[in-house]
Amino acid sequence: MKSLTVTTPGPHRDFQPPGIMLPPGSCDAHVHLFGPHERFPFAPQRTFTPEDVPLETLQEMHTVMGVARSVLVQSAAHGRDHSVLVDALRRAPEIYRAVALIDPQTPAGTVKQLDAEGFCGARIHFAPHLGHSPSTDDVRAIVDRIAPLNWHLEVHVMDEGIYEFSDMADQLDLTMVVDHMGRVNPDPVADDPRVAELGNLLSKENVWVKLSGADRISNLTPSMSDGLAFARKLFQSHPDRCVWGSDFPHPNTHGFVPWDHELVRGIAEIAPSAEDRARLLVHNPARLFGFGPLPA
């Protein structure tokens, strides 16, 4: 197969222990798989081309970090072909769940097949670099496909996208999960109005938030201290509706690329006590994603 020109850097691959012990059954609620593209081709219409980061690389990272479970999120680089995630789910159904990319034209039967494989949610983007935002009618059509299966709607917002989604949220009767802390500016001095809008969304009992992307929202890299402090604030305000994710392998990151052990170490700042970490990493993900008991 013809080699591809990579347009977004891959992760640091020298995985190092984080220096903290995660509770048994800990879940990384937001990761992606890429290829290998010879077996799982990237979508022709993709807006970026990542390095190959297959399941084996993810498993190596999680073993070093002490992560037991994970939620695999379909990337726009693979488009609507979910083969790469279906393969992972079939290889380890007890420890993986997945989030799909579907559209209003996706047949209900296809969604049911994905459900049977272990998918539990669908992702939509209000992010300019990933294409046009979905219309209200588009979102309603997707919800009509997934709500009967008790899937959640995962929402990736950037820039003004949080307002686009907020205009729709009251009309949607299902669980919704905001990715990457809404990608707001965490600096209190900046007084980003999107912070208040994220708070408005989280005032709804059916809206959750992923405490992922501390590196993406931080103004203080490499420490990411402002992003971690914002994540801790969200967890303190909504302890039963937060999950944590690494966002490995950090696609479409240009400039600063976080070390995964530093992201995992940051959990100690977000959830300082053992009880907090068990809630964030074990109990909340089990409720949201439908994980059963760990295999013996």
Side-chain angles (χ1 to χ4, degrees):
M1 179 177 288
K2 182 179 178 181
S3 63
L4 301 177
T5 300
V6 172
T7 63
T8 180
H12 299 291
R13 296 174 188 255
D14 179 17
F15 304 125
Q16 303 173 32
I20 66 169
M21 184 173 290
L22 302 184
S26 288
C27 176
D28 182 345
H30 195 101
V31 300
H32 304 283
L33 296 178
F34 295 118
H37 69 273
E38 292 89 350
R39 182 180 178 196
F40 302 111
F42 298 133
Q45 72 276 18
R46 66 188 180 278
T47 59
F48 68 97
T49 301
E51 294 180 5
D52 281 345
V53 185
L55 178 62
E56 290 78 10
T57 305
L58 174 71
Q59 290 174 327
E60 180 186 357
M61 187 274 285
H62 278 164
T63 297
V64 174
M65 301 303 154
V67 170
R69 291 167 156 167
S70 189
V71 179
L72 314 171
V73 179
Q74 177 77 356
S75 168
H78 278 290
R80 302 300 190 264
D81 182 350
H82 295 84
S83 299
V84 64
L85 299 194
V86 169
D87 172 72
L89 288 164
R90 289 178 177 177
R91 289 161 69 178
E94 302 91 350
I95 64 172
Y96 294 130
R97 294 290 182 271
V99 174
L101 285 179
I102 64 173
D103 55 43
Q105 287 72 47
T106 303
T110 298
V111 180
K112 289 181 180 178
Q113 290 173 356
L114 293 174
D115 180 70
E117 296 285 1
F119 283 76
C120 62
R123 194 184 197 203
I124 56 176
H125 297 284
F126 295 84
H129 71 286
L130 295 174
H132 295 295
S133 298
S135 68
T136 300
D137 287 343
D138 289 339
V139 174
R140 284 174 175 164
I142 291 169
V143 169
D144 286 346
R145 294 281 193 275
I146 69 175
L149 300 172
N150 201 31
W151 285 17
H152 68 273
L153 183 69
E154 187 160 317
V155 188
H156 180 203
V157 297
M158 285 183 65
D159 303 328
E160 301 300 302
I162 194 167
Y163 301 111
E164 294 180 71
F165 173 64
S166 291
D167 289 341
M168 306 177 188
D170 282 336
Q171 307 171 41
L172 305 177
D173 185 19
L174 80 170
T175 299
M176 294 167 272
V177 184
V178 179
D179 280 349
H180 305 330
M181 299 183 278
R183 299 190 72 156
V184 302
N185 185 345
D187 182 359
V189 176
D191 196 23
D192 184 347
R194 295 174 301 163
V195 172
E197 194 62 39
L198 178 60
N200 290 338
L201 283 168
L202 288 170
S203 69
K204 310 175 198 303
E205 292 297 320
N206 60 332
V207 176
W208 293 54
V209 62
K210 286 189 178 181
L211 306 185
S212 53
D215 56 297
R216 294 187 184 273
I217 68 172
S218 177
N219 303 297
L220 300 173
T221 57
S223 75
M224 303 176 284
S225 57
D226 53 344
L228 293 171
F230 187 69
R232 180 174 181 174
K233 182 178 179 181
L234 289 173
F235 182 60
Q236 289 174 330
S237 300
H238 309 282
D240 293 320
R241 285 185 282 125
C242 292
V243 291
W244 177 87
S246 67
D247 194 26
F248 184 84
H250 320 292
N252 276 311
T253 298
H254 300 279
F256 172 70
V257 178
W259 288 85
D260 289 282
H261 68 275
E262 293 180 350
L263 288 170
V264 174
R265 188 182 301 148
I267 294 170
E269 299 181 43
I270 299 170
S273 72
E275 180 182 1
D276 285 342
R277 289 178 209 173
R279 177 180 288 179
L280 177 64
L281 298 172
V282 182
H283 304 310
N284 287 357
R287 284 196 298 123
L288 180 59
F289 304 118
F291 284 112
L294 280 171

